[in-house]
Amino acid sequence: MEFNTIKIKSTFTSPFESSPRADDDNNSPFRKPLSLWPGMYHSPVTAALWETRSKIFERLLDPPKDAPPQSELLTRTPSQSRTTILYNFSTDYILREQYRDPWNEVRIGKLLEDLDALAGTISVKHCSDDDSMTRPLLLVTASVDKMVLKKTISVDCDLKMAGAVIWVGRSSIEVQLEVIQLTNDSSDIIETVALTANFIFVARDSKTGKAAPVNRLSPETETEKLLYEEADARNNLRKLMKVERKGIEEKGEKSRLDSLLAEGRIFCDMPALANRDSILLRDTRLENSLICQPQQRNIHGRIFGGFLMHRAFELAFSTAYTFAGLMPYFLEVDHVDFLRPVDVGDFLRFKSCVLYTEFEHAEQPLINVEVVAHVTRPELRSSEVSNTFYFTFTVRPEVKANNNGFRIRKVVPATEEEARTMLERMDADSLLSKETV
């Protein structure tokens, strides 16, 4: 049975119990105990993907006790993991309403959830050894390497999300995804790539927690071979970036820090004389917090990464909105690090700030927002960083055109720690930009 294309339906009920839909083929007389399924916080896409995973990999939910690890690595092709999702927005009005934002576009936060869920399903398909007697791997989202919005995504037209594994290392996997808008032109359907994203997963032995080898990848077509080479180059770049950053920091770091801090000191010591076109980084901060609930868990019992990205994006959007004073327009996720898992019951705090602004293109000033998620444990008097997110926004052109007095302020640090964080991110973006060029 093929699961390469998954139909998405609007739903407000659990996909893991009998459904009243007449056309639903998921009505099984036997269901796993509810406690073994992911939480009830999900979009229609995550619901469908988890149901699909369960059909293909039932053993993921109930592996044999003391099952041995996979003994022999297989060789897979990108086409074997390729999976497509279809959103029938043009005909399913409830589904459309679930994804619609105030500007009749698709909610980016919900799309981030779906992208993470699809990337996870694709990585699971690639790593399966088709042997029910071995224990499955634990696949963890390590980072989002890059996510770029190429055009606005309308909620009135059908949407397609597709992806496949494009590169593997010893225990790491890179999945590339595309979000494609489908529009009608006379009798033809035009497909336009609206968003691209690259997810990095790492494999762990589900029993020992140590890094585990993954199935090999054999690209077949010229496009697949090119994608593999590009991903391999990015992986080598990631390894070199630590060395490059160290070299950049050592070379003239003191003068760069002093230059950044000079204006901030005027704000702190002589605020009446400070430049009104600048603002202290600390004055751009926003924060929210939550207790992680079981409804937000994934199939491994941890908090679903897509949920974290959704919450981080909406805080970043709000931060850019209050900073610019006009409606922001999302451009890209520069980078996301998943440093440690988040568990049910954790007290999670999201802290955001405008890290820096760019004015290279006057018509499209850039607002770079950092969001850091902290797992706080009051009983232990501890707080650890679990995730870091970097988002880039600009301002909607039509809104900017109607506001002649609009301006984006320069952000300046008040402390050396803020200045170092700002420089590290600027340097990382600069290195990535050079590689892209």
Side-chain angles (χ1 to χ4, degrees), residues 343-360:
D343 294 315
V344 172
D346 279 349
F347 174 29
L348 195 63
R349 302 175 71 184
F350 290 93
K351 300 180 181 181
S352 69
C353 70
V354 176
L355 201 54
Y356 64 98
T357 51
E358 298 177 73
F359 306 95
E360 184 176 348

Side-chain angles (χ1 to χ4, degrees), residues 84-154:
T84 301
I85 286 173
L86 293 174
Y87 300 80
N88 293 315
F89 288 142
S90 62
T91 56
D92 191 333
Y93 301 112
I94 297 177
L95 182 66
R96 182 194 306 177
E97 189 63 21
Q98 286 181 267
Y99 280 84
R100 187 167 66 88
D101 73 4
W103 306 278
N104 212 42
E105 295 168 6
V106 170
R107 287 179 63 187
I108 297 297
K110 287 186 72 67
L111 208 59
L112 295 182
E113 288 186 42
D114 296 349
L115 286 163
D116 185 57
L118 177 58
T121 296
I122 289 170
S123 64
V124 166
K125 289 176 74 172
H126 176 82
C127 292
S128 172
D129 64 351
D130 302 322
D131 184 350
S132 61
M133 299 309 294
T134 60
R135 62 176 179 260
L137 294 176
L138 175 64
L139 291 160
V140 180
T141 309
S143 66
V144 179
D145 194 52
K146 196 76 169 177
M147 186 182 299
V148 180
L149 183 69
K150 298 178 179 293
K151 67 181 293 292
T152 56
I153 306 175
S154 171

Side-chain angles (χ1 to χ4, degrees), residues 226-256:
L226 179 60
L227 288 173
Y228 187 96
E229 291 172 1
E230 291 175 345
D232 196 47
R234 284 193 297 272
N235 181 62
N236 291 330
L237 176 65
R238 281 191 290 271
K239 294 177 181 178
L240 291 172
M241 277 179 67
K242 293 181 180 179
V243 178
E244 292 283 348
R245 286 178 190 171
K246 185 177 180 181
I248 290 172
E249 289 171 5
E250 291 175 350
K251 185 179 180 181
E253 182 188 15
K254 184 68 168 62
S255 62
R256 297 172 73 206

